[in-house]
Amino acid sequence: MTGTIEFQQTSAELSVVLAGEMTKATVPALWAELLAHAKMPHPAQLSIDVSAVSHYDLAGLILIDSIPSFFSAPKPVIQGADQALLDGLKRVEPEVKKAETLEKKKIFASIPSDMGRATLFIVDQVCQNLIYTGAVCHFLWQAIRRPKLLRWRDVFRVMEDTGPNALPIIALLGFIIGLILSFQASVQLQKFGATIFVVNLVGISLVRELSALFTAIILAGRTASSFAAEIGTMKVNQELDALSTMGLSSVRFLVIPRVIAVTLMLPLLSIFMSFFGLLGCAVFMRATEVPWEIFLRQLEGAVTMGDFWGGLFKAVVFGILVAAIGCANGLKTGNGASAVGQSTTRAVVGTIVTLIVVDGLFAVLFYCLSL
Amino acid sequence: MITVNDLVVSFGEKRVLDRISFDVRPGEVFVILGGSGCGKSTLLRHLVGLREPQGGQIIINGHDITTDSLENMDKAIESFGVMFQSGALFGSMTLLENVRLPLEEKTELPRKVMDEMAAHKLRQVGLGDFLHYVPAEISGGMQKRAAIARAMALDPPMLFLDEPSAGLDPITSAKLDELILELSKTLGVTFVVVSHELPSIFAIADRVIMLQDGKIVAEGDPRDLRDHCEQPFVRQFFHRESDKASVNG
């Protein structure tokens, strides 16, 4: 059984005759027919004949209720309807339409208030970040003064995950980066017969600059995202609320162990990256028939202890930033599963941008201090 | 409408449901009872096809969902809606969008009709003023009602509700009971409800089964069971007695 719709028009009146089934299965086709006839001249009077309707559901009632809107017609006369159908029609009120109109109006009216809201949001974020930074500094200082208060088991767990577990990827990427840098540098330096200076270029850039930055970026993707997801999920599961109700600070309990662990591990990983990068450079130089002894002598002359300590200091600062920004985004997680995903994305992007900006500031600072 | 024969469910070595059999008749409010951890929610998850049992049959409207083809399984799935214990509404969507989702996926109705149907369902559960709210902006009780509205979106003849009254205040809980009774009486919807809230059980249940240690220990009208059942666990359950009270008594 299907549903049918017929249109009978006289000079002043349009009669819509419905028959058969008016259900979810038949309404799409009937709606299309109504749309096709919507261009008919608007009638002064509209009547809807439902006497031949055999079966209907909510979709059918909504279709009958919507017929006048297709022809901009006044309230229709319903013919052949039993009391149940009339009661059903009374229950179907087009409230959604009203709500949608309201939403549209709101969009146009809200540009100034949106700007105000955005400003307040930025101010709020800055304040929150300052409070968070203050709390991290405070609890870090407390942890240094009274190390017994620190949850060392958590620190070692995070250290293991951040350090030894990340070593294979650090070693592999370090070696490949060393090879690539050496190859690219040698192509240019060969033109001047200065291939041996590849060692200077790769050595200084790795030890002073790139190892700390690359290691921090790898940990931003690997560790900061994992901190944000872990703490974000805890927030969604109300575990952070549980900590608060126990009188525990989530910064002291969750953030500080992670900050200390990553701050200790990142410089070590950075040293490993330098080592494997230089190994890659050595392998390349050996392939261009530079003996190991010459390579080592050239490296010794090029890279100073100042470069090494400078790189290590940056790695310490990057460690604090990676852990603190990852945890901060976890703590800021909203409600629902999608909020955890958003926090993770924000943690990775925010950490990488901050690392590069801070690295630029270090470059200026080291230049001014003639280091 | 639903027939369960010799259903066996195990988690590793532990047998959670041990050869249980029962049936649910059309139009009735059927409640699955039992203490915490007795396998009520596990049974519900098997009834709606989320888990495969280790043995037995679950026949819904003539389709054995444990062995049927995917196509038949889809037909069986379309004949029921499910409300999960936490509501399980999609957090990124408004209530209207949540309820509209099954209509968008399963019908070809015009957008306006779908919107009005979804709004109607939400009005039916008393959430007409919250169409454009996201789940995080409403209370737990409202989320459960919205979840019922979503389960009803396609007008299924059967609804499965997992602990609908748990964690709700008595007034909201009573409203939910009224809603279940109204839908059962006016639309003839069959309800399979998992619960251990005694006031709700007496208010809505036509028939109950009680689970203990993976077996059905009682079946029938909850009022009859309360007043006449001699089984110690059933008496304890309906009279809210602790083990100690039962021993002393």
Side-chain angles (χ1 to χ4, degrees), chain B residues 82-84 87-89 142-152:
Chain B
V82 186
M83 189 216 88
F84 291 95
L89 296 169
M142 290 158 101
Q143 286 185 21
K144 289 197 175 191
R145 281 190 278 156
I148 293 180
R150 185 177 66 180
M152 297 190 316

Side-chain angles (χ1 to χ4, degrees), chain A residues 276-348:
Chain A
F276 284 101
L278 291 172
L279 191 67
C281 179
V283 168
F284 177 83
M285 294 309 284
R286 188 73 194 86
T288 56
E289 296 182 351
V290 173
W292 295 111
E293 300 80 40
I294 305 282
F295 170 82
L296 285 174
R297 207 178 305 143
Q298 190 70 21
L299 186 67
E300 209 179 328
V303 181
T304 63
M305 282 311 280
D307 295 326
F308 175 76
W309 290 120
L312 214 58
F313 178 69
K314 279 203 284 192
V316 169
V317 176
F318 289 168
I320 296 172
L321 289 173
V322 167
I325 297 172
C327 293
N329 282 289
L331 292 173
K332 280 185 205 164
T333 304
N335 291 308
S338 61
V340 178
Q342 286 162 4
S343 291
T344 314
T345 310
R346 270 204 311 268
V348 176

Side-chain angles (χ1 to χ4, degrees), chain A residues 24 27-28 31 58-59 62 66 91-96 99-100 335, chain B residues 107-110 112-113 115-117 119-121 123 132 136 154-155:
Chain A
K24 282 193 280 293
V27 163
W31 193 273
L58 182 60
I62 292 169
S66 305
R91 285 203 304 271
V92 181
E93 294 160 22
E95 283 183 18
V96 184
E100 278 177 355
N335 291 308
Chain B
T107 71
E108 291 171 5
L109 290 168
K112 183 174 181 279
V113 177
D115 277 347
E116 292 202 8
M117 285 179 75
H120 183 81
K121 298 290 177 194
R123 279 200 296 273
H132 299 287
L154 291 166
D155 298 320

Side-chain angles (χ1 to χ4, degrees), chain A residues 40-60:
Chain A
M40 290 169 86
H42 295 164
Q45 202 181 335
L46 175 71
S47 68
I48 303 171
D49 186 349
V50 294
S51 52
V53 171
S54 60
H55 183 62
Y56 61 88
D57 64 8
L58 182 60

Side-chain angles (χ1 to χ4, degrees), chain B residues 142-194:
Chain B
M142 290 158 101
Q143 286 185 21
K144 289 197 175 191
R145 281 190 278 156
I148 293 180
R150 185 177 66 180
M152 297 190 316
L154 291 166
D155 298 320
M158 220 180 326
L159 282 178
F160 291 91
L161 311 181
D162 190 3
E163 309 226 8
S165 307
L168 299 184
D169 66 87
I171 299 169
T172 314
S173 181
K175 275 186 196 165
L176 212 57
D177 292 343
E178 279 171 16
L179 175 71
I180 292 169
L181 285 174
E182 190 192 325
L183 292 171
S184 168
K185 281 184 185 139
T186 57
L187 303 176
V189 176
T190 306
F191 281 91
V192 178
V193 183
V194 165

Side-chain angles (χ1 to χ4, degrees), chain A residues 347-367:
Chain A
V348 176
V349 175
T351 309
I352 291 174
V353 170
T354 311
L355 286 173
I356 290 170
V357 170
V358 171
D359 192 45
L361 292 176
F362 271 125
V364 175
L365 184 72
F366 286 176
Y367 177 77

